Amino acid sequence: MEIAPDFFNYFEVAATILDNDKTIMAVSSWNDNGQHQFVRDPKALFRSDFFPGLGWMLKKSTWVELSPKWPKAYWDDWLRRKDIRKNRQFIRPEICRTYNFGEHGSSMGQFFKQYLEPIKLNNVQVDWKEADLSYLLEGNFLKYFAKMVADAKPLHGADVALKGDNLDGDVRIKYNDQREFERIAHQFGIFKEWKDGIPRTAYKGVVFFWYQTSRRIFLVGPDSLRLLGVEKAQIPLA
């Protein structure tokens, strides 16, 4: 595994957020949708309901809680279970701070060519000690992210990736269930996989990524606008 130049600085500063916010279970260096074509900002961090893995940090108290029942295999999927996570979330970067170059391993090379090999490893020396990360605290991030989603233009119908080519600015696309999410995700080329009812990288059911480097795409679940407290939650998006 290769690490970014700001890897240790990132975790050192993120530890403060981890210590001060009990709703955060761990901090990760990984974004499952961190392929070159889907990322842009080396300073952007997000909360997620999905455990990213691949370079992560948790508190000693959390380890004391989990270690007696830690599984011998597939512990990453175990951490993604709702009964283990207990509504806690994770901090992840937009651009990965680790790069997994091992095609052959315990995962048997699953997803490597399509999802892991194209991952962008951050090459910018971000001075995290000068960054204000208070927006990541639970109440602050909810408002911060909700505004981004609310400001995005709703996009309707089939072939949304093709329609997105002709729009300026951010867009949001509603999915009603896992099957519909997988269809839309396939059009854009992002991860389709869910674990215990949650798509990879999702926060409140919303999966975010950059598209053609000029606009943000928000895939919005059936309950996402309500969970985010967006005022337009009663307006159909699709």
Side-chain angles (χ1 to χ4, degrees), residues 83-101:
D83 61 315
I84 300 299
R85 186 169 60 85
K86 297 178 180 178
N87 292 319
R88 289 171 290 189
Q89 296 172 333
F90 308 91
I91 300 296
R92 65 154 182 94
E94 179 174 315
I95 299 181
C96 292
R97 264 56 189 185
T98 50
Y99 180 79
N100 190 341
F101 52 78

Side-chain angles (χ1 to χ4, degrees), residues 21-139:
D21 190 337
K22 294 181 179 180
T23 67
I24 297 175
M25 190 173 189
V27 175
S28 174
S29 63
W30 186 258
N31 173 12
D32 281 304
N33 290 321
Q35 295 78 20
H36 284 79
Q37 67 270 32
F38 299 133
V39 297
R40 179 175 178 178
D41 187 355
K43 297 181 180 179
L45 304 178
F46 295 88
R47 294 177 73 111
S48 175
D49 296 302
F50 191 98
F51 173 63
L54 290 175
W56 52 283
M57 170 180 65
L58 48 68
K59 292 189 294 187
K60 179 181 178 180
S61 59
T62 307
W63 174 248
V64 170
E65 169 198 341
L66 298 176
S67 58
K69 48 188 176 182
W70 198 267
K72 293 182 179 180
Y74 302 108
W75 49 263
D76 49 351
D77 285 340
W78 178 75
L79 283 171
R80 291 164 184 151
R81 283 171 33 183
K82 293 176 182 177
D83 61 315
I84 300 299
R85 186 169 60 85
K86 297 178 180 178
N87 292 319
R88 289 171 290 189
Q89 296 172 333
F90 308 91
I91 300 296
R92 65 154 182 94
E94 179 174 315
I95 299 181
C96 292
R97 264 56 189 185
T98 50
Y99 180 79
N100 190 341
F101 52 78
E103 181 174 1
H104 304 288
S106 60
S107 64
M108 305 297 289
Q110 185 184 28
F111 305 131
F112 183 82
K113 287 293 184 183
Q114 184 175 359
Y115 297 114
L116 299 183
E117 191 173 48
I119 285 288
K120 176 178 175 59
L121 176 66
N122 178 57
N123 58 4
V124 177
Q125 184 65 60
V126 176
D127 186 359
W128 290 107
K129 292 183 179 180
E130 295 298 320
D132 180 6
L133 301 185
S134 60
Y135 73 94
L136 291 170
L137 295 172
E138 183 180 25

Side-chain angles (χ1 to χ4, degrees), residues 186-231:
H186 178 74
Q187 290 185 39
F188 286 104
I190 65 168
F191 248 114
K192 298 183 290 184
E193 187 183 32
W194 289 33
K195 294 291 184 180
D196 203 10
I198 300 175
R200 285 183 180 266
T201 78
Y203 172 73
K204 306 293 186 184
V206 179
V207 171
F208 148 82
F209 56 95
W210 286 93
Y211 184 59
Q212 297 181 343
T213 72
S214 61
R215 64 182 64 85
R216 292 177 291 193
I217 303 291
F218 299 92
L219 304 188
V220 180
D223 297 321
S224 295
L225 295 183
R226 177 182 60 81
L227 294 172
L228 289 171
V230 175
E231 292 183 356

